[in-house]
Amino acid sequence: MTTTPRFLAACRREPVDRPPVWLMRQAGRYMAEYRAVREKAGSFMNLCRTPEWCIEVTLQPIRRFGFDAAILFSDILIPAEAMGAEVSFVAGEGPRIGNPVRDEAGVDALRCPEPEEACPFVYETIRGLRSELDAETPLITFVAAPWTLMCYLVEGGGSKHFERTKTLLMGRPDLAKRLLDKIVAYSARHAAAGLRAGAQALQLFDTWAELLAPADYAGWALPAANEVFRRVRAEVGPEPPFIYFSKGSAGQLPVLGAVEADVVSIDWRLDLARARRELGESKALQGNLDPLALLAGPEATRERTRAVLEAGGGRGHIVNLGHGILPQTPLESVDALLETVRGGTP
Ligand code: CP3
């Protein structure tokens, strides 16, 4: 008899023996095995472009911790590169785009290539992973939500206020619209290609949703994310669940229910029980342990994980962090989190 993996069951709000758990950025610098591969690769982009290494680092946290889902090792800026952005990572500074998009010519220059031709290594990684992972461990693929990718493309890197991006949106809405449309088109193709290659769920990362006033979020970011979901759904059919992660979404809660995803992933600043009340029973929830809790040690992690389990209410809840795991996280805290989730449902 085959049973649905608990991660996929929870995405569909079907009953599960216990809530599934995985962690955003679960493959990363907090693991010595990752740091070893990362060093061999030289640069982060070189790591992202090499299927053999991407497969290895995706599997490392599965082997070590047995998470209920694997997430493709890649980056949200890989599709940006396929569109024509010159992407690099500067140590200690994060991503950098050498040719930021700030005018008509910049928008016109962006391409919408065939994903399998532009970044074959991504789909090769996915196919390789499907043959390595067991039937209990579904593979998640991801893209940035259009607004978040727009932030990096326009700003040219990380930023506190993303002033160039927000002033483009407010001062040149015509150009912002054309840019978002192009991002939507390629992101949807990239995501659909990942699902066709064998990934079983899709997560959109809307890290910078928190920068927008509710009206701009409802008018720009949310419709663009929904357009990606719609296009991918039309291409891949009803099966794979869609997850929407937005950081700082408490302010967006009144309109968040309109997101066309099966699962809403929230950060620690929004209470899970409140999100459940306001979003209703139609969506599963993912989150929302503060990644800093793990730095406070195993005991604090256990206590706060118990609170997350309780607020999540069991059914239709996927345990995760509110944002990516930090490089300085002790492995014992990850063990403590997992023991708590596996030890007993609320
Ligand atoms: O979750 C996973 O395990 C899958 C892999 C994954 C990475 N990045 C690997 C990575 C995913 C899903 C991402 C998404 C991503 N990338 C986001 C959205 C989620 C978020 O964290 O808000 C964003 C904004 C990026 C862009 C990006 N890539 C940033 C801001 C950084 C941090 C730079 C730094 O020095 O910490 C990266 C680099 C990156 N992406 C690393 C990893 C493991 C660390 C780079 C390294 O190993 O040197």
Side-chain angles (χ1 to χ4, degrees), residues 22-29 34 38 43-44 47-48 57-58 61 71-77 89-95 142-144 148 152 158 203 205-208 245 247 323-325 327:
W22 68 279
L23 304 182
M24 287 189 268
R25 290 270 179 98
Q26 63 192 18
R29 282 173 291 191
Y34 173 84
R38 171 72 180 76
S43 75
F44 175 68
L47 171 53
C48 287
V57 298
T58 302
I71 180 160
L72 167 72
F73 189 85
S74 185
D75 197 84
I76 60 164
L77 295 174
F89 279 81
V90 185
E93 269 184 53
F142 65 89
V143 279
T148 288
Y152 286 103
Q203 176 156 323
F205 282 92
D206 219 347
T207 308
W208 298 118
F245 166 71
K247 189 157 68 73
H323 196 205
I325 190 167

Side-chain angles (χ1 to χ4, degrees), residues 63-227:
R63 282 191 214 113
R64 170 69 176 76
F65 298 109
F67 290 114
D68 292 304
I71 180 160
L72 167 72
F73 189 85
S74 185
D75 197 84
I76 60 164
L77 295 174
I78 293 291
E81 193 180 51
M83 294 180 76
E86 294 159 13
V87 180
S88 59
F89 279 81
V90 185
E93 269 184 53
R96 174 87 56 83
I97 287 172
N99 53 344
V101 178
R102 292 181 184 161
D103 52 20
E104 317 270 347
V107 174
D108 289 342
L110 290 173
R111 302 187 291 264
C112 189
E114 182 54 52
E116 288 270 7
E117 278 164 30
C119 30
F121 48 88
V122 170
Y123 315 107
E124 200 184 311
T125 300
I126 292 175
R127 285 187 282 267
L129 281 167
R130 277 315 312 154
S131 65
E132 293 275 338
L133 288 162
D134 64 34
E136 284 305 296
T137 317
L139 177 64
I140 304 166
T141 189
F142 65 89
V143 279
W147 162 248
T148 288
L149 195 60
M150 176 171 157
C151 283
Y152 286 103
L153 282 175
V154 174
E155 216 67 34
S159 164
K160 189 158 183 213
H161 300 293
F162 284 91
E163 42 274 80
R164 287 180 190 274
T165 316
K166 289 180 71 175
T167 52
L168 181 79
L169 187 81
M170 294 175 194
R172 286 292 312 274
D174 57 316
L175 194 57
K177 173 82 174 81
R178 281 185 53 219
L179 174 54
L180 270 177
D181 286 348
K182 282 193 134 179
I183 296 172
V184 164
Y186 189 66
S187 304
R189 294 180 81 171
H190 178 80
L195 292 163
R196 278 198 306 268
Q200 293 132 299
L202 168 67
Q203 176 156 323
L204 250 64
F205 282 92
D206 219 347
T207 308
W208 298 118
E210 66 184 347
L211 297 173
L212 293 173
D216 286 324
Y217 178 74
W220 290 94
L222 188 61
N226 277 344
E227 185 57 28

